[in-house]
Amino acid sequence: MGVDKQITKPGHGPTPQRGQKITVHCTGYLQEGMKKFWSTQDKGQQAFSFNVGLGKVVRGWDEGFMSMQLGESARLTMTGDYAYGAQGFPAWGIPPHATLVFDVEILKFD
């Protein structure tokens, strides 16, 4: 499947360019049971910044965020091969090949 994006709030302007630094809010869930494993909006957390499209994050994030506009919110659903793959991410309780759901918003481009 890869990554599926459902827009929950439209954004405006251009989409980020490969390599551009973006800052986002995100909340991640295991699709099975919609169990939250992480959120930038939890107490003690902060917005997350990264250079998009360079493989520094899971593939579903790179592809999903590259298609989003500033201020846009969306739900990204990604199969395991676009998320943490065969290794999963045990520190966050993500099992191998898990399908993940992220509620995301692009806050700014640098």
Side-chain angles (χ1 to χ4, degrees):
M1 178 181 117
V3 62
D4 176 66
K5 181 180 88 167
Q6 295 178 339
I7 297 171
T8 55
K9 183 183 91 179
H12 54 85
T15 58
Q17 300 300 304
R18 185 173 312 279
Q20 189 168 19
K21 184 177 179 182
I22 64 172
T23 301
V24 303
H25 268 314
C26 53
T27 301
Y29 304 89
L30 295 172
Q31 185 183 45
E32 186 174 322
M34 287 302 287
K35 180 182 176 193
K36 182 174 81 170
F37 58 82
W38 177 66
S39 178
T40 59
Q41 297 188 53
D42 285 345
K43 186 176 180 174
Q45 297 292 315
Q46 59 186 0
F48 182 75
S49 297
F50 67 100
N51 296 92
V52 71
L54 300 179
K56 304 291 186 185
V57 294
V58 296
R59 183 175 176 186
W61 269 32
D62 271 340
E63 291 191 15
F65 281 118
M66 292 277 297
S67 71
M68 292 177 67
Q69 297 175 300
L70 185 63
E72 182 177 318
S73 294
R75 176 164 277 189
L76 304 177
T77 302
M78 59 197 72
T79 52
D81 56 325
Y82 277 62
Y84 292 101
Q87 73 275 9
F89 194 167
W92 285 353
I94 299 171
H97 308 291
T99 296
L100 303 180
V101 176
F102 288 94
D103 289 329
V104 299
E105 178 183 10
I106 293 189
L107 302 174
K108 69 178 183 174
F109 302 168
D110 289 338

